[in-house]
Amino acid sequence: MNARFHIVGCALAAEPDAAAIDEFAEWARRHGARMLSQDDRRAVFVQFDAAGTQLILHGCRSAAARRQPRLRVGFASGVKEANGPDGEARAGERGVQQACDLAAAARPGQVLLSSQLGSLLQLAQLEPHDRLLATRVGLPDGRPASAYSVESPRPPA
């Protein structure tokens, strides 16, 4: 299947860690993501027309890294809008907010995907589709939300 996705992501450190955020952001840029905002606690980015899920897989690796503090990562599907500066594409605010809310709701070392993005990955059978667990999370404003948590890969037997 030749699916394309607009993936919005947010990597969040529990406490300021500019090195971890910079490392995550640099990797995301190398794979075609555009930074929407970045500081020493958080990076928010978008990848338009992603042909694969390298950003999500990188989020899983970064969140599971043994270094402390561990990152919390949220991903959502985005809408590509053409009303940015000079007519350039920008990500819709709903997807950006959803990714940031999911990152804030995640536990350290956890990756959460919006229910829509997780469903799209399952339909397209793109990794990590076979490691998604449906879950309910509490968002920062207290609302409950449906999401997918990405299970860590099992070590070979």
Side-chain angles (χ1 to χ4, degrees):
M1 180 174 240
N2 200 8
R4 298 224 175 246
F5 303 94
H6 305 310
I7 300 172
V8 181
C10 178
L12 184 64
E15 54 192 56
D17 188 347
I21 295 297
D22 286 345
E23 181 181 307
F24 190 101
E26 181 56 34
W27 194 96
R29 278 188 203 95
R30 276 187 268 148
H31 286 275
R34 186 171 76 207
M35 288 299 122
L36 302 177
S37 67
Q38 183 179 344
D39 59 32
D40 62 349
R41 287 199 61 186
R42 179 174 98 153
V44 181
F45 48 91
V46 62
Q47 183 180 21
F48 292 121
D49 302 311
T53 57
Q54 288 303 309
L55 281 179
I56 296 170
L57 297 175
H58 175 65
C60 294
R61 286 189 293 273
S62 295
R66 300 199 185 275
R67 62 191 293 218
Q68 295 296 329
R70 295 171 78 184
L71 295 177
R72 301 178 292 168
V73 184
F75 290 100
S77 59
V79 173
K80 188 177 189 179
E81 298 177 348
N83 57 354
D86 299 322
E88 71 181 39
R90 69 179 193 95
E93 288 300 315
R94 183 171 183 257
V96 172
Q97 187 62 52
Q98 193 173 29
C100 292
D101 285 348
L102 289 170
R107 295 182 311 274
Q110 185 178 35
V111 176
L112 293 176
L113 275 61
S114 69
S115 56
Q116 181 182 21
L117 181 58
S119 296
L120 290 171
L121 296 183
Q122 288 176 327
L123 286 171
Q125 295 188 340
L126 289 173
E127 178 65 22
H129 74 92
D130 57 347
R131 296 186 287 127
L132 299 180
L133 296 173
T135 187
R136 297 284 290 170
V137 296
L139 298 178
D141 65 5
R143 291 178 298 132
S146 295
Y148 285 98
S149 176
V150 182
E151 268 189 320
S152 294
R154 291 182 176 81

